[in-house]
């Protein structure tokens, strides 16, 4: 998975490729309402931090920098002027990107602000277990049994996957994601770290796993040859550190003012243009919060040195 996504010629790092947006639709691509909601969350973090001189906004796995550009556009100029936007990416900086955006290979150490990771962790390579052994995968996607699990991976399964993965024999070991997330959170000196992803929790692990491929908007077999995305859902509860909260995207976006309710019909005659605009916006909000779709994504919100993990949440 690591070589197929990030090695030479890998899916995410091949120069000149269309980027993630050419292969699948994340919440970032679905609507500018998403960047607007992240801007609202950033304002809350800013207030919690007492409006520091430099407010870091770190986008982990930034794709082509679309979310950062959207957040900068949504902020009022006085706040935007204090924001230090970082795109953390393994791909090259896209041509023509807003020069304010710093393109880096790792999150800046000691950041103060908001670290946001939309659909990053599902692309952090992970081990898969079957019947107590690692699953080996050939470049054509053929699977075969590997060696027995090491102690740390066995311990992770015992703690986080009911029955240690014994029911169907297959399980996805989230340890690499836990470690990647802990590393990203540790880069924050103060602020909030948020990971948003297709997730599952201990009470509802997927019995047969979730390993999937995507190419050009379609689900394809997860063949690790560099020709498709290879992804697996994230055990976000095992990533959570002290004081973290886990929300559905529906709950999170509703708390940040994104609503899918239709505009009042009276607006149609009073101001037809505003009505059409409000209708389009409600449609986009509905996509971002849909059951069985993006609305089921999980938001893991991890406070670092601030009072709460979420606007309105009691101090933990
Ligand atoms: C599914 S895309 C999501 C892009 C964007 N966040 C969005 O939501 O549209 C995942 C991105 O994470 C990047 N990525 C994965 N691991 C990374 C790492 N360790 N450091 C920086 N970027 C990484 C990949 O190159 C890819 O562009």
């Amino acid at each position: 998975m690591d070589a197929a996504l990030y090695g030479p010629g890998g899916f995410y790092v091949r120069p000149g490729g269309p980027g993630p947006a050419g292969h699948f639709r994340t919440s970032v691509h679905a609507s500018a309402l998403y960047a607007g909601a992240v801007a609202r969350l950033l304002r809350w973090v800013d207030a919690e931090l007492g409006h520091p001189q430099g407010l870091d906004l770190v986008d982990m796995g930034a794709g082509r920098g679309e979310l950062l550009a959207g957040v900068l556009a949504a902020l009022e100029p006085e706040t935007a002027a204090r924001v230090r936007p970082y795109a953390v990416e393994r791909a090259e900086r896209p041509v023509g990107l807003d020069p304010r955006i710093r393109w880096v290979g790792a999150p800046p150490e000691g950041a103060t602000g908001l670290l946001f990771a939309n659909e990053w962790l599902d692309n952090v390579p992970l081990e898969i277990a079957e019947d107590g052994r690692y699953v080996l995968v050939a470049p054509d996607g053929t699977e075969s049994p590997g060696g027995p699990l090491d102690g740390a991976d066995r311990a992770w399964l015992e703690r986080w996957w009911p029955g240690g993965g014994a029911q169907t024999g297959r399980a996805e070991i989230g340890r690499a994601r836990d470690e990647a997330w802990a590393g990203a959170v540790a880069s924050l000196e103060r602020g909030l770290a948020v990971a948003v992803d297709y997730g599952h929790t201990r009470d509802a692990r997927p019995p047969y796993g979730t390993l999937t491929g995507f190419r050009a908007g379609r689900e394809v077999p997860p063949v690790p040859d560099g020709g498709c995305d290879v992804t697996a859902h994230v055990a976000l509860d095992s990533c959570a550190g002290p004081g973290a909260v886990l929300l559905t995207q529906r709950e999170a976006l509703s708390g940040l003012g994104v609503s899918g309710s239709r505009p009042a019909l009276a607006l149609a005659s009073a101001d037809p243009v505003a009505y059409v605009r409000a209708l389009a916006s409600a449609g986009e909000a509905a996509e971002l919060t849909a059951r069985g779709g993006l609305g089921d994504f999980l938001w893991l919100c991890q406070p670092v040195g601030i009072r709460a993990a979420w606007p309105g949440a009691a101090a933990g």
Side-chain angles (χ1 to χ4, degrees), residues 34 118 134 145 224 284:
Y34 195 70
N118 193 68
Y134 293 108
E284 291 175 10

Side-chain angles (χ1 to χ4, degrees), residues 197-222:
D197 235 304
Y198 313 82
H200 44 70
T201 50
R202 197 174 184 286
D203 52 340
R205 298 282 181 229
Y208 297 98
T210 58
L211 191 69
T212 311
F214 281 98
R215 185 192 303 121
R218 291 234 186 88
E219 200 171 316
V220 296

